[in-house]
Amino acid sequence: MSDIYATLQEIVGKDYVSNQAEERYFYGRDPGLMPPHEPDYVVMPRTTEEVQEIIRLANKEKVAVVPKGAGLSLTGLVIPQIGGIVMDMKRMEGIEVNEAGRYVIVEGGVTHAALKSHLQKNYPHLRHSIPDSPPIATIVANAVIHGQGRLTQQRGFNSDMVSGLEVVLPTGEVCRIGSCAVSSYWFSKGPPMPDLSGLFLGWFGTTGVITRLGMKLYPCKKMRDVMLYITDRAELIPDIIRKLSHTEMMEDIVVSCAPLPLRFKGVFNMLVYITGDSEEELEFKRKMAWDALREYFESRDGGFMGVSPYMKPSLLAMPSKDTTRFADVSKGGGFEYSGPIAPIEKYPQYVKKLEELASKYNLFYSSAARVIDGGHSMMFSFSYTFNRADPDTMNRAKTALDEAAEFALDEGGVIWKPNLNEQRMVMERMDPNTLKLLGKIKQLLDPNGIMNPGNWEAK
Ligand SMILES: Cc1cc2nc3c(=O)[nH]c(=O)nc-3n(C[C@H](O)[C@H](O)[C@H](O)COP(=O)(O)OP(=O)(O)OC[C@H]3O[C@@H](n4cnc5c(N)ncnc54)[C@H](O)[C@@H]3O)c2cc1C
């Protein structure tokens, strides 16, 4: 083991590798509910070549490697289940924009905050799809877990906006995926060739380390506004979403519910975002939204509420701070969510289950559902808070989330960023030939099973 430590020091320099108790403690856990497990080493590479050398070493010594962004996915995906090396990507922070081609190439540790400020400063007419995770979340890891952001309603998962990859394979070779494999331009992650990005996106680092990633950028309109639609009838939400997304004019649609403040209990809040280059464009889009929902206004089943100038800045913030604030609702500050990607028609059933589980396990709840890709599906969050100093609330929250995941699968959803137990649930339900294919791909790419062991392992 000490040979490994010395070699890691040679690769990255002695300031960027540690086997000290403090680092091992910190890198052995995440803010969610999964049990901790400490790594033997933490290493911070700066270049693709250093990543390559670390992986070659790990492959030769058969030591596990877990790539880590900000560790905010909450479901234990960066907890090293059998120890080994945690590879913290934060020193890889290069950003290169192709303005004419509307894409950016980011290194593996670039955060959403860093890209946002780079674009605001240098390319204010361009933007990327910002998720509501804390700003230190990384672009690469968010794409790896098929994250969703402000442009997901219009453009699909953030991973759908990827336009190329550079990956260090588990055996140490560097591989380019997409147009960048044959050209100096990073405009496509696959088409017109076979799309090999699917071998890396969604795999939680089990098939390689992404060292660079191309991400599409989109026009940043001069103005943004938010409308707040409310209804107390959950069964109407799918139709309301269908009518709004039919206009093809909304930037983002997020439906929330929570039992507090009391005036909102039993009420569904729908935040509908629009963008435009002029007040006229915004006004036209507002009118389209009003017209789309006129029927429910006339039947008095729902309506738009005024959004005061005091509320607007916080509703328009990117990322929104609301989810982060939710973590502090319970004493001891903890929350986790199971977020199935689900058919929109199931919204009423999901809400009923969310409330049932909260009452069964005496937990505080909230939910936000984000519409995906023009209304093809939604991410529905079952969010529960817990007190980190109270194992009883943590156990209750965990049991509720397990039940929510089973329910979501039974109702036709697929679990997003699943923890180990949820991955097992998904694989148990998977078509057996698909499961076999998953195993064959993993074996082919990672013959020694060194990459993020435990995840997506077909038993
Ligand atoms: C308050 C809050 C709000 C949130 N809101 C959203 C939201 O709106 N949208 C959303 O999508 N998510 C949201 N999340 C979930 C999560 O924080 C984000 O998806 C975040 O982008 C994950 O990035 P990360 O850097 O923390 O990933 P990590 O947790 O560090 O990593 C995630 C996975 O990617 C792998 N990985 C990391 N880097 C690499 C690499 N270079 N190569 C290969 N694999 C790699 C890791 O091994 C792990 O399996 C939220 C979380 C919180 C706490």
Side-chain angles (χ1 to χ4, degrees):
M1 282 300 194
S2 59
D3 280 355
I4 294 177
Y5 185 67
T7 316
L8 287 172
Q9 280 191 326
E10 275 167 33
I11 298 171
V12 295
K14 65 177 177 10
D15 289 345
Y16 299 110
V17 56
S18 174
N19 59 1
Q20 297 298 300
E22 294 83 346
E23 268 89 24
R24 292 175 49 222
Y25 176 90
F26 176 78
Y27 284 90
R29 57 207 71 228
D30 77 2
L33 286 162
M34 295 303 285
H37 192 284
E38 292 184 5
D40 298 297
Y41 313 98
V42 179
V43 64
M44 289 179 157
R46 171 64 204 95
T47 63
T48 299
E49 292 71 30
E50 289 178 4
V51 172
Q52 246 187 312
E53 285 187 61
I54 296 164
I55 294 289
R56 284 202 183 114
L57 170 72
N59 196 38
K60 183 166 132 253
E61 301 290 343
K62 301 193 174 45
V63 175
V65 180
V66 178
K68 173 172 172 155
L72 285 169
S73 41
L74 301 180
T75 44
L77 303 179
V78 292
I79 295 177
Q81 300 299 329
I82 59 166
I85 300 169
V86 167
M87 187 186 283
D88 183 330
M89 303 299 291
K90 65 166 74 65
R91 290 180 67 222
M92 299 192 66
E93 48 193 2
I95 300 178
E96 198 187 316
V97 172
N98 182 318
E99 190 177 3
R102 282 199 185 139
Y103 63 79
V104 59
I105 304 168
V106 292
E107 286 188 326
V110 172
T111 63
H112 282 280
L115 179 57
K116 181 183 166 196
S117 59
H118 186 83
L119 293 176
Q120 279 178 346
K121 193 165 161 215
N122 303 295
Y123 306 95
H125 50 287
L126 291 174
R127 65 185 291 203
H128 78 292
S129 182
I130 300 177
D132 288 323
S133 35
I136 55 164
T138 60
I139 311 262
V140 168
N142 182 257
V144 164
I145 63 170
H146 294 307
Q148 308 104 47
R150 283 290 163 197
L151 296 177
T152 285
Q153 199 287 127
Q154 292 175 318
R155 318 266 176 194
F157 291 93
N158 288 351
S159 49
D160 290 325
M161 303 171 208
V162 168
S163 66
L165 299 174
E166 177 189 83
V167 187
V168 175
L169 299 179
T171 38
E173 304 91 335
V174 181
C175 196
R176 285 193 168 189
I177 303 294
S179 58
C180 63
V182 285
S183 151
S184 57
Y185 291 94
W186 291 54
F187 54 76
S188 163
K189 67 185 166 69
M193 299 174 293
D195 188 349
L196 296 178
S197 67
L199 295 175
F200 306 98
L201 301 175
W203 284 83
F204 306 156
T206 61
T207 52
V209 181
I210 298 172
T211 42
R212 293 205 293 164
L213 176 141
M215 181 59 82
K216 291 181 189 166
L217 302 173
Y218 297 91
C220 183
K221 300 283 197 170
K222 290 184 190 140
M223 298 170 176
R224 245 177 121 233
D225 199 12
V226 58
M227 295 177 280
L228 175 56
Y229 188 82
I230 60 167
T231 177
D232 57 2
R233 295 189 53 194
E235 71 278 17
L236 296 184
I237 298 285
D239 192 50
I240 293 172
I241 291 176
R242 192 179 58 77
K243 287 185 158 71
L244 281 174
S245 52
H246 178 85
T247 65
E248 294 192 315
M249 286 192 182
M250 309 301 140
E251 176 204 53
D252 193 13
I253 303 174
V254 181
V255 192
S256 308
C257 64
L260 285 174
L262 268 183
R263 66 181 179 280
F264 282 140
K265 190 172 163 75
V267 175
F268 302 93
N269 296 273
M270 189 176 276
L271 291 171
V272 182
Y273 291 85
I274 49 174
T275 60
D277 278 327
S278 63
E279 188 46 50
E280 275 166 299
E281 188 180 345
L282 286 185
E283 193 47 39
F284 179 69
K285 289 180 177 174
R286 278 185 209 111
K287 183 174 177 319
M288 290 296 283
W290 277 77
D291 286 352
L293 301 182
R294 186 169 301 279
E295 174 190 340
Y296 293 128
F297 179 69
E298 281 167 3
S299 66
R300 303 189 177 205
D301 284 314
F304 283 100
M305 250 178 82
V307 180
S308 78
Y310 304 105
M311 268 165 84
K312 253 189 199 173
S314 106
L315 292 179
L316 287 171
M318 291 187 286
S320 154
K321 295 197 182 72
D322 287 356
T323 325
T324 311
R325 283 194 198 111
F326 181 65
D328 283 329
V329 166
S330 283
K331 187 182 160 200
F335 96 104
E336 187 170 327
Y337 61 101
S338 178
I341 307 301
I344 291 173
E345 67 194 56
K346 295 284 178 160
Y347 186 88
Q349 289 90 321
Y350 277 57
V351 165
K352 192 160 166 255
K353 192 70 182 179
L354 169 82
E355 292 171 352
E356 256 172 44
L357 289 171
S359 140
K360 181 171 169 189
Y361 294 105
N362 190 21
L363 293 165
F364 187 77
Y365 70 88
S366 83
S367 172
R370 170 168 273 146
V371 177
I372 298 173
D373 196 12
H376 289 102
S377 61
M378 64 179 171
M379 188 285 294
F380 181 95
S381 71
F382 288 87
S383 308
Y384 298 111
T385 58
F386 51 84
N387 178 351
R388 287 179 195 288
D390 175 5
D392 177 52
T393 58
M394 292 178 77
N395 281 335
R396 283 187 275 123
K398 193 169 172 331
T399 313
L401 288 169
D402 284 348
E403 279 185 39
E406 289 279 5
F407 170 84
L409 282 162
D410 289 345
E411 290 292 316
V414 180
I415 302 167
W416 173 51
K417 61 181 178 65
N419 62 33
L420 291 181
N421 186 35
E422 292 167 341
Q423 288 173 36
R424 183 190 51 74
M425 292 179 199
V426 171
M427 289 188 285
E428 274 171 11
R429 285 167 165 82
M430 201 178 265
D431 170 274
N433 287 332
T434 311
L435 186 61
K436 234 190 252 172
L437 180 62
L438 214 64
K440 278 188 197 166
I441 291 170
K442 169 79 179 134
Q443 171 65 25
L444 179 75
L445 289 174
D446 184 14
N448 289 320
I450 59 162
M451 296 303 304
N452 208 352
N455 288 282
W456 289 134
E457 266 175 21
K459 289 267 176 318

